Amino acid sequence: MATGRSPTNIAVIKYWGKRDEALILPVNDSISVTLDPDHLSATTTVAVSPSFPSDRMWLNGKEISLSGGRFQSCLREIRKRAQNVEDEKKGIRIKKEDWGKLHVHIASYNNFPTAAGLASSAAGLACFVFTLGKLMNVKEDCGELSSIARQGSGSACRSIYGGFVKWCMGKNNDGSDSIAVQLADETHWNDLVIIIAVVSSKQKETSSTSGMRDSVETSPLLQYRAQTVVPERVLKMEEAIKSRNFESFARIISLVEKWNQSEGTPQVAYTFDAGPNAVLIAPNRKNATLLLQKLLYYFPPQDNDLRSYMVGDKSILSDAGLKSIEDVEALPAPAEMKTPSQKFKGDVSYFICSRLGAGPKVVTDESLALIDSVTGLPKGV
Ligand code: ADE
C-alpha cells in the first residue's frame, strides 16, 4: 500500500485548446503556481493484493468507475514502468513482470469541494500517477511522470511540481515532449498570498474539454492567441517570476482594476479559470490584508460566521484586524470605488487563503492511509 498527497495548481498563463484530444496535447505552453497542499490537495492510497478480483476506485468515499480512457491510460503507463518491489520487514516481494496480473484498489480524498472548479482533477490525477508510481517502484523522473499525468488530465502535469511550473506544449505527435518543468520552487517567491473567492461550489455547466473543443472549432482568434500572444507572454512571465517582479507579473494576468489604477502601480493581480471563482494574488501580507478588507466590505458573510467564511490560512483575518462580524460591519467603503454603498452579501460562498506550495509527497504515517489494510476497502465505507 502507498499513500501520496498532491497539490492543485492555478494557471497564470492558461492552457486552452488541444491539438490532440486523446493524448491531451495543448496548442500553447502554460504557466501555473502550485498551491499549498495543506489548503488544496488530493490524498490517495493505492493498495494491491492477489485477492482483489478487479481494479476499483473510491473518490471522497463513493465508488467511481475506473473504465474511462484517462484513468486507463495512466494505469497502463505506470504498469508498463513498474519495477521489482521487496520489503523484507513486511515480507513483500513483487516481481516487475507480475504487476500486470495484480489489481489495485484506490481511495482518494480531496480536502476541498471537488465540484468547485478548483482544479480537483489536476490534484487528483497527479496524485493518482504519483502514488501508483511509488507503489510500483517506478523510477522515471518528474518530467516523465508529468507526461503520464497529462494523459489523465492536462493540467495535472503541472501538479507534479511545487512552486512555479511551465507545461511545455511540445511538438512531437506522440506527446513525448509535452511535459512540465519547474521554473522555480515554492521558496523562491514565498511572500505571495493567494486568495480565492469561491463564488459557486456547483459543477460548471460547460466542461473545459467541451469549451476548448468549441474554441478550437469555431474561434478564428484561438490560433492567434496560441501562436502569437501566448509565446510572448510566456517569456515575459518567466522573466517576471525569475526576478520576482510583481508589477510585471500582475500586469500580464490583468489587474484588480480600480485599486490598481488608483494607486498607480499594481497592488494585486487576478485570474480566472473556466469557472466563476476569482483567484487573487497579492505580492505580500500587507496588500493581502488591505485586499481582504475591501473584499469583505462588499462581500460580507451571509450567515455572519466569519471563521467558516475563510478557509485555509484563517490568520489573514486577524492580520486584517477582522476578529468579528462587527469588525467587518465597521469596515470603511473602499475609497477608490464610485458606488461604495452597494453590497453583495451572499454572492461569495467562502474565501480560501493560501500560498505557494510544494509538489507531491509520500505520506509515511500509515495511520493516514485511506484504505484499511485488512479489508482492502476504504476506511469508514
Ligand atoms: N477528480 C477529482 N478529484 C479527483 C481525485 N482526487 N482523484 C481522481 N480523480 C479526481
Side-chain angles (χ1 to χ4, degrees):
M1 204 150 80
T3 300
R5 185 165 82 143
S6 298
T8 184
N9 73 78
I10 177 85
V12 291
I13 303 270
K14 308 287 176 188
Y15 147 53
W16 197 254
K18 298 185 184 87
R19 62 191 163 87
D20 183 312
E21 290 222 359
L23 289 171
I24 313 193
L25 301 177
V27 296
N28 60 271
D29 293 347
S30 52
I31 294 181
S32 60
V33 293
T34 295
L35 301 181
D36 187 338
D38 281 349
H39 305 146
L40 294 143
S41 60
T43 299
T44 301
T45 298
V46 188
V48 65
S49 164
S51 70
F52 294 163
S54 62
D55 294 333
R56 293 175 74 184
M57 175 155 183
W58 294 260
L59 174 57
N60 300 325
K62 280 209 183 106
E63 183 153 16
I64 61 165
S65 167
L66 267 178
S67 64
R70 294 174 167 209
F71 283 125
Q72 287 301 316
S73 298
C74 294
L75 269 169
R76 183 189 63 238
E77 293 303 315
I78 292 291
R79 278 195 171 115
K80 250 197 240 172
R81 293 164 176 81
Q83 297 293 326
N84 297 337
V85 171
E86 249 192 277
D87 186 331
E88 262 180 47
K89 264 195 237 146
K90 290 189 179 152
I92 295 170
R93 202 174 203 183
I94 303 174
K95 288 211 211 100
K96 62 177 172 188
E97 54 273 23
D98 291 339
W99 279 111
K101 296 174 231 154
L102 288 164
H103 290 292
V104 288
H105 280 186
I106 303 170
S108 190
Y109 166 78
N110 299 331
N111 66 355
F112 60 98
T114 299
L118 297 168
S120 59
S121 61
L125 270 299
C127 206
F128 186 92
V129 166
F130 173 80
T131 313
L132 269 174
K134 288 291 168 206
L135 179 81
M136 298 189 183
N137 198 19
V138 164
K139 300 287 189 215
E140 268 68 12
D141 62 15
C142 288
E144 184 78 9
L145 287 185
S146 79
S147 166
I148 299 171
R150 187 202 76 231
Q151 295 171 60
S153 167
S155 49
C157 72
R158 297 188 307 245
S159 276
I160 291 291
Y161 302 92
F164 293 90
V165 184
K166 175 171 155 184
W167 174 10
C168 309
M169 61 177 284
K171 295 271 174 269
N172 300 343
N173 287 338
D174 66 358
S176 52
D177 57 349
S178 188
I179 61 167
V181 295
Q182 187 178 54
L183 297 175
D185 74 15
E186 63 278 12
T187 61
H188 169 71
W189 197 358
N190 62 3
D191 36 4
L192 291 183
V193 179
I194 295 145
I195 295 179
I196 305 172
V198 180
V199 175
S200 160
S201 297
K202 288 199 204 107
Q203 190 88 40
K204 58 191 175 196
E205 278 175 32
T206 305
S207 71
S208 293
T209 293
S210 72
M212 283 187 210
R213 192 180 298 140
D214 288 350
S215 300
V216 169
E217 285 171 2
T218 64
S219 170
L221 294 176
L222 193 76
Q223 283 300 316
Y224 177 71
R225 172 182 190 267
Q227 288 164 13
T228 309
V229 178
V230 171
E232 253 174 54
R233 280 197 188 154
V234 163
L235 289 177
K236 282 196 190 137
M237 184 61 86
E238 282 190 59
E239 196 45 50
I241 290 167
K242 208 157 133 198
S243 56
R244 300 188 198 95
N245 183 339
F246 187 76
E247 195 169 330
S248 171
F249 179 84
R251 192 169 283 137
I252 296 163
I253 60 174
S254 197
L255 316 172
V256 176
E257 313 289 345
K258 297 258 172 34
W259 186 20
N260 289 350
Q261 263 167 30
S262 77
E263 295 288 339
T265 57
Q267 305 295 303
V268 58
Y270 69 70
T271 181
F272 287 87
D273 267 357
N277 305 323
V279 178
L280 302 138
I281 306 177
N284 51 46
R285 202 84 184 157
K286 168 124 199 314
N287 282 29
T289 56
L290 290 172
L291 169 65
L292 195 61
Q293 290 165 353
K294 294 173 197 296
L295 288 171
L296 289 190
Y297 175 83
Y298 284 110
F299 303 100
Q302 174 92 291
D303 57 3
N304 290 346
D305 179 0
L306 203 50
R307 296 279 304 165
S308 63
Y309 199 43
M310 179 59 70
V311 176
D313 178 5
K314 291 179 190 283
S315 68
I316 191 81
L317 283 173
S318 45
D319 288 2
L322 302 171
K323 295 204 170 88
S324 67
I325 193 66
E326 287 75 28
D327 295 332
V328 171
E329 281 161 359
L331 280 169
E336 61 278 9
M337 301 299 281
K338 288 204 185 84
T339 51
S341 56
Q342 197 185 0
K343 295 199 180 190
F344 305 93
K345 201 176 203 168
D347 280 10
V348 170
S349 304
Y350 59 94
F351 289 97
I352 303 170
C353 181
S354 191
R355 59 186 157 236
L356 260 74
K361 293 226 160 56
V362 171
V363 176
T364 47
D365 181 348
E366 290 183 9
S367 72
L368 298 177
L370 302 176
I371 292 182
D372 184 312
S373 60
V374 177
T375 63
L377 294 170
K379 287 178 182 169
V381 169

